[in-house]
Amino acid sequence: MLRGAFKELVRYPSALAGLVVIIFLVAVSIYTVITIPYEEAIRLWRGGEEIWGDVPKLAAPAWFNNFTAKKRPLTIKMTSDDEAGVERKQAQVSDALWTDDVVYSFDYPYDDFPQEIAVTLLAQVREKAPYVSLIWVKPDGTEVRLADMAVEGGKRVYRVSQDEKLGRKLKLPENVNPVVGLFAEDPTAAEPVPMKGTYQVRLEGTLFEPEDTLQSKLVVYGTVYGWAGTDHLRRDLGIALLWGTPVALSFGLLAAMGTTVLTMLIAAIGVWYGGWVDALIQRITEVNLVLPVLPILIMIGVFYTRSLWAMLGVIILLSIFGAGIKTNRAIFLQVKAQPYIEAAKAYGASDWRIIFFYMVPRIIPTIIPSLVTLIPSFVFLEASLAVLGLGDPVLPTWGKVIDDARANGALYQGLYYWVLEPSFLLMITGIGFAMLGFSLDRVFNPRLREL
Amino acid sequence: MAEQVGGPAPQGEQRGTGARGAPSTWKRLLRYTLTRLVALFITVVIGVYLTILIANMGGYVDEIRRSQIREQIAVKFQNDPAFRALPPEERQKRIDAEVAVEEKRLGLDKPFLVRSFNYLKHALTLDLGRSENMTSDSGSRQVRLIILERLPATLVLFGTSQIVLFAIALYIALYLSRHYGSWLDRFFVALSPLSSAPGWFYGIFLILIFAAWLKWLPFGGMVSVPPPESPVRYALDVAYHMILPIMALTLSSIFISVYGWRTFFLIFSSEDYVEMARAKGVHPRAIERRYILRPTLPTIITSFALGVIGVWMGAPIFETIFNWPGLGRVLFHAVQLFDTPVIVGSNVIFAYLLALTVFLLDIIYAIVDPRVTVGGGRQS
């Protein structure tokens, strides 16, 4: 019978479209779980400065550049150990003086300014901290002395945007990022444009012991990153979007399955035993109808736990006595009156045997469509909880990305990608399952078929 | 929910009820109303009791009561000049002693089962205690005031949007059942999966398009700052702020409602008695009103009621997205401030509101469906 149903199903274009979407989502989930294992995803999402440090903040997806005339910069990252674009000269000047000069050269073909320039200096010394001068060389040969400093304590990070002295030296107006001054053709213009060409950063290091070493890293933070962009904590949104897929699918599927199957069993038990069991089930259903589900979930999230799987359990508990009991009950009442049940009773089949093997199978075709249509509503429920700030504390999910975006004013600041990416995924999940579910409904409920 | 009897009743019976006159209808309605009221009150009691059980598994309700008592007694001591003269340690000792007496008087030392019924009484009479951090707009810290002062905003928004939705969806569904198979019909059927997303989700898109991008409508809120002086301007301003939320709620439920109802109308318009009326030459509009709409209305109201309840449940998040100063946002704020009394109080109010919604819809149901009798039609 199921094979026939499948043949019937593929005749509906919307069912096919829904299936394609679902297969795509399942494929993404499998790919994600295999390539980024759970621990790795948690590390990448909840790590810290050492993982996200070299990634720009609030950067749009890199493919934006394919659609705009104005090319936005990618991030440029170089270290003193690199081969390409880095020239390093180490020499001894006297008995107590060594030099370590590094020249970083990079091409800058973009039409917009970078967010930030940062130079990280790492020194391993015995006694006296090494001394470093930073010099910025524009493509036209102009030199700007950025800073002179001692690398105290082994580590020093120099950030151009925080250097107010530099802004004054470049004669920039107030509130203009010094980065603009370093890249602009004419920094005082109303709308400055970056100069294209090869820039250089020259590092002149002075060391005082033969064993002392100096490592450095240059990062020019762009304004686009990866295929999904980044958030306010410099995290790659791609991780959350990818990992959100298996989480959403498993949450929706488990909740829908749990709810539908338990509802059906309860309805079957009520109908079969009748009497006070049935009456009790009916009354519980009526009470359940006036229980405020979302506020109760909020209460549980605040007082006890925010774990996604605990929430799942509570959601199932709160929804098993839902409106589905009434519809299932009506069908079971008809099934119970049929002669084959009478026959089963006559040859002495046990109550459970009759419920599980004679009644339940009859209702499965009608609950499959409602199960599929229920999945998106649970996926959206998870997102709703996340938007209320009650998302799972550990797992990255789509809803949590939307929540972060909303809380950080993404819509006000025009960071539309941040909201649209998770929303798009939620939307196609919802539509995909709904399209399949509606088509299944037509296949299994022939009364709807001609309409 | 009132139960419905399967299948349409023969038309003669429906006419008959009307002809027999009003008194019996009113009596029936009154009896039905009273029974439903009692049943729903029991339901609310159980719902609120469950809320208390959940909240008090971590001892949160006890905590609310204890801090309330302590605060009351501390205030009493502070206002009484006789106690003000006492040294601080002595005063503290007396406060502690009085708190212990008061806790004993209120039964806080009793076993949980006894206490829980005590709480139930307080919750049902809306004695919801005092908040920890939040204050009402008038500066009060009574949880009841904090919550109830936001109620009108919520009722205005959800009431208007549900009426708009019901009217539009019913009209379109009737139109489509008349023009079955037209491109508009196919359009609505094709778009029905869009209803799998909740209202807040469409809210984000609508804010993005109409507020952030086109800048035609406000991002959220209920009135402009500062609010207009004249009442007419004020009402218009609120209406202006309501456009986006209503659009979002409508978008999220209209397609599925129209699809479901139109299908239902189509099934009913192929009934024998409708064919018969057509053959008799009854005007198509009259057929629609008397032979299709009338018998389907109870079912349509049921499906609508479930929708209204669903929307109610989503209020906390919907109002947060639109920054609408209603009940839902109070709950959201309470969650952020971890204000336990307000959270528990909101749950109680929501249980009441849901029961009230169900009750209202039951009454409407009883009015439109003459077959509803108390206890009758159950085992058909």
Side-chain angles (χ1 to χ4, degrees):
Chain A
M1 188 210 158
L2 280 177
R3 187 174 300 158
F6 186 75
K7 253 189 205 149
E8 182 104 35
L9 187 67
V10 293
R11 289 201 349 244
Y12 291 96
S14 66
L16 275 184
L19 269 178
V20 167
V21 170
I22 294 166
I23 290 169
F24 165 74
L25 290 169
V26 171
V28 168
S29 306
I30 294 171
Y31 168 82
T32 307
V33 177
I34 291 172
T35 51
I36 316 170
Y38 179 76
E39 282 79 21
E40 176 70 3
I42 303 298
R43 194 180 68 83
L44 289 175
W45 190 246
R46 308 199 60 83
E49 191 64 15
E50 68 277 8
I51 291 167
W52 316 323
D54 298 336
V55 175
K57 206 191 236 182
L58 300 175
W63 47 264
F64 269 29
N65 273 347
N66 298 339
F67 299 98
T68 49
K70 203 175 166 187
K71 300 291 172 234
R72 296 164 72 174
L74 288 160
T75 300
I76 297 159
K77 182 180 163 187
M78 304 165 108
T79 67
S80 50
D81 295 332
D82 285 356
E83 299 280 319
V86 182
E87 262 179 75
R88 190 167 190 176
K89 275 195 212 107
Q90 286 161 309
Q92 182 170 17
V93 181
S94 71
D95 288 352
L97 211 62
W98 285 260
T99 61
D100 184 351
D101 296 350
V102 182
V103 180
Y104 292 102
S105 338
F106 59 89
D107 260 338
Y108 197 81
Y110 308 108
D111 303 305
D112 203 358
F113 294 99
Q115 271 180 4
E116 167 72 300
I117 305 162
V119 180
T120 310
L121 300 164
L122 287 170
Q124 276 192 326
V125 294
R126 276 233 309 245
E127 216 172 296
K128 200 169 170 213
Y131 196 77
V132 177
S133 297
L134 290 174
I135 294 131
W136 180 260
V137 188
K138 280 187 172 181
D140 61 359
T142 341
E143 290 197 4
V144 182
R145 203 171 182 85
L146 295 178
D148 303 290
M149 57 197 170
V151 189
E152 303 281 1
K155 186 178 178 182
R156 185 92 196 246
V157 183
Y158 170 74
R159 293 182 198 280
V160 169
S161 71
Q162 287 165 11
D163 190 350
E164 284 170 26
K165 254 191 339 209
L166 181 66
R168 283 197 293 278
K169 192 154 83 184
L170 293 167
K171 298 194 179 60
L172 292 175
E174 291 275 332
N175 303 325
V176 171
N177 191 339
V179 173
V180 173
L182 292 182
F183 276 91
E185 287 189 4
D186 175 15
T188 50
E191 279 188 35
V193 221
M195 198 185 278
K196 291 180 189 178
T198 307
Y199 287 82
Q200 284 187 336
V201 178
R202 211 159 67 228
L203 232 105
E204 295 173 357
T206 313
L207 299 134
F208 304 100
E209 297 269 355
E211 291 89 22
D212 290 0
T213 57
L214 184 67
Q215 303 290 331
S216 60
K217 181 173 80 179
L218 167 76
V219 182
V220 180
Y221 293 95
T223 54
V224 289
Y225 181 84
W227 61 271
T230 61
D231 67 4
H232 60 303
L233 295 174
R234 305 176 187 275
R235 296 183 294 197
D236 184 359
L237 288 179
I239 304 286
L241 296 182
L242 282 176
W243 253 93
T245 319
V247 172
L249 286 191
S250 49
F251 187 86
L253 196 67
L254 286 175
M257 289 265 278
T259 313
T260 322
V261 171
L262 287 175
T263 303
M264 179 192 70
L265 285 181
I266 290 169
I269 289 168
V271 167
W272 180 247
Y273 288 103
W276 67 270
V277 181
D278 193 29
L280 182 72
I281 290 170
Q282 295 268 78
R283 293 298 91 74
I284 295 177
T285 312
E286 272 157 34
V287 173
N288 198 60
L289 197 66
V290 296
L291 280 187
V293 176
L294 192 60
I296 289 182
L297 284 176
I298 290 174
M299 206 162 72
I300 286 168
V302 175
F303 293 158
Y304 304 107
T305 168
R306 296 185 178 191
S307 147
L308 197 62
W309 310 115
M311 284 287 180
L312 178 73
V314 178
I315 289 171
I316 293 178
L317 267 183
L318 285 173
S319 7
I320 43 177
F321 284 99
I325 290 230
K326 301 234 164 192
T327 16
N328 285 341
R329 188 172 166 271
I331 302 171
F332 276 132
L333 278 174
Q334 287 175 7
V335 173
K336 192 188 174 187
Q338 291 200 353
Y340 76 94
I341 300 280
E342 201 71 31
K345 250 196 294 190
Y347 74 68
S350 71
D351 289 341
W352 291 106
R353 189 176 166 80
I354 292 179
I355 291 173
F356 282 103
F357 292 99
Y358 300 122
M359 286 172 70
V360 167
R362 287 294 299 272
I363 205 172
I364 283 178
T366 50
I367 63 164
I368 288 176
S370 67
L371 191 151
V372 175
T373 343
L374 259 182
I375 293 174
S377 62
F378 288 113
V379 172
F380 276 107
L381 183 59
E382 189 276 319
S384 305
L385 286 173
V387 174
L388 283 171
L390 298 172
D392 190 275
V394 188
L395 285 170
T397 67
W398 297 335
K400 277 171 77 183
V401 174
I402 296 182
D403 179 41
D404 282 341
R406 210 190 51 81
N408 291 287
L411 290 181
Y412 300 88
Q413 293 177 33
L415 303 165
Y416 300 142
Y417 69 94
W418 198 358
V419 180
L420 287 179
E421 286 167 0
S423 305
F424 172 75
L425 287 169
L426 275 170
M427 194 79 234
I428 63 164
T429 311
I431 293 181
F433 280 103
M435 287 204 293
L436 181 65
F438 286 1
S439 312
L440 281 169
D441 208 16
R442 288 173 179 220
V443 172
F444 287 122
N445 300 327
R447 193 141 89 117
L448 294 170
R449 200 172 300 163
E450 64 268 28
L451 300 175
Chain B
M1 284 272 84
E3 304 239 341
Q4 63 191 89
V5 205
Q11 38 168 324
E13 204 178 288
Q14 286 177 32
R15 289 252 177 98
T17 321
R20 247 180 274 134
S24 73
T25 309
W26 285 113
K27 223 157 121 195
R28 178 180 63 86
L29 198 62
L30 194 70
R31 244 187 65 181
Y32 175 76
T33 309
L34 285 176
T35 329
R36 285 304 296 159
L37 211 55
V38 171
L40 273 172
F41 183 72
I42 296 169
T43 321
V44 169
V45 171
I46 298 172
V48 170
Y49 192 65
L50 276 179
T51 307
I52 289 167
L53 284 187
I54 295 170
N56 214 31
M57 275 195 291
Y60 288 100
V61 180
D62 288 336
E63 216 51 38
I64 299 173
R65 300 297 291 173
R66 288 224 169 82
S67 60
Q68 204 176 338
I69 292 167
R70 187 161 283 277
E71 197 173 326
Q72 272 168 4
I73 290 169
V75 167
K76 195 178 96 188
F77 271 66
Q78 215 150 40
N79 293 341
D80 194 335
F83 292 115
R84 229 179 285 164
L86 289 174
E89 307 90 62
E90 179 68 18
R91 194 164 54 177
Q92 192 57 44
K93 224 157 115 197
R94 289 210 185 184
I95 290 179
D96 287 345
E98 197 146 325
V99 166
V101 170
E102 188 69 9
E103 281 181 2
K104 202 172 162 63
R105 188 180 75 79
L106 289 173
L108 275 172
D109 53 343
K110 299 236 175 66
F112 174 67
L113 201 67
V114 181
R115 272 183 291 137
S116 67
F117 284 108
N118 214 346
Y119 296 145
L120 181 64
K121 200 184 90 202
H122 284 292
L124 288 176
T125 51
L126 291 189
D127 177 7
L128 302 172
R130 294 165 72 80
S131 67
E132 280 162 15
N133 302 305
M134 294 170 73
T135 52
S136 72
D137 288 343
S138 52
S140 166
R141 293 187 59 177
Q142 288 281 328
V143 171
R144 184 180 43 200
L145 289 180
I146 293 176
I147 294 175
L148 290 186
E149 114 192 318
R150 299 300 180 87
L151 193 57
T154 299
L155 289 183
V156 165
L157 177 62
F158 287 94
T160 319
S161 63
Q162 292 308 309
I163 291 168
V164 167
L165 177 69
F166 187 74
I168 295 180
L170 197 63
Y171 181 80
I172 298 178
L174 273 176
Y175 179 85
L176 293 186
S177 75
R178 250 181 277 137
H179 297 84
Y180 161 62
S182 66
W183 70 267
L184 197 67
D185 184 41
R186 282 205 299 267
F187 175 76
F188 266 87
V189 172
L191 286 188
S192 55
L194 282 180
S195 291
S196 58
W200 64 264
F201 188 74
Y202 288 105
I204 289 182
F205 282 107
L206 291 177
I207 290 174
L208 201 156
I209 296 170
F210 291 101
W213 186 39
L214 295 172
K215 299 187 171 58
W216 288 351
L217 294 164
F219 273 95
M222 189 167 141
V223 282
S224 311
V225 181
E229 296 275 331
S230 83
V232 179
R233 283 274 192 79
Y234 191 90
L236 282 177
D237 197 44
V238 172
Y240 174 64
H241 281 78
M242 258 167 40
I243 297 174
L244 277 189
I246 290 184
M247 265 169 80
L249 283 177
T250 309
L251 254 181
S252 81
S253 23
I254 192 153
F255 296 110
I256 191 76
S257 303
V258 167
Y259 172 67
W261 296 357
R262 134 203 122 99
T263 310
F264 206 64
F265 290 146
L266 281 174
I267 291 172
F268 265 69
S269 52
S270 58
E271 291 286 344
D272 292 341
Y273 65 87
V274 178
E275 299 288 345
M276 171 73 188
R278 267 201 208 108
K280 241 170 33 180
V282 180
H283 192 268
R285 292 275 158 162
I287 293 185
E288 206 163 74
R289 234 183 13 250
R290 252 187 274 152
Y291 297 92
I292 299 177
L293 201 51
R294 193 69 175 78
T296 49
L297 211 50
T299 318
I300 285 188
I301 287 175
T302 310
S303 84
F304 181 68
L306 288 173
V308 172
I309 290 167
V311 169
W312 258 127
M313 306 273 194
I317 178 158
F318 190 79
E319 288 180 358
T320 306
I321 294 282
F322 279 104
N323 223 358
W324 190 265
L327 257 186
R329 215 172 53 131
V330 167
L331 182 54
F332 178 74
H333 269 244
V335 168
Q336 290 192 317
L337 295 171
F338 210 82
D339 203 321
T340 321
V342 182
I343 296 175
V344 177
S346 299
N347 269 278
V348 173
I349 300 273
F350 264 105
Y352 261 116
L353 283 175
L354 279 175
L356 204 68
T357 314
V358 171
F359 176 66
L360 275 178
L361 290 161
D362 268 350
I363 300 291
I364 298 173
Y365 196 102
I367 294 172
V368 298
D369 191 346
R371 288 166 296 167
V372 170
T373 46
V374 184
R378 190 144 279 173
Q379 299 301 330
S380 63

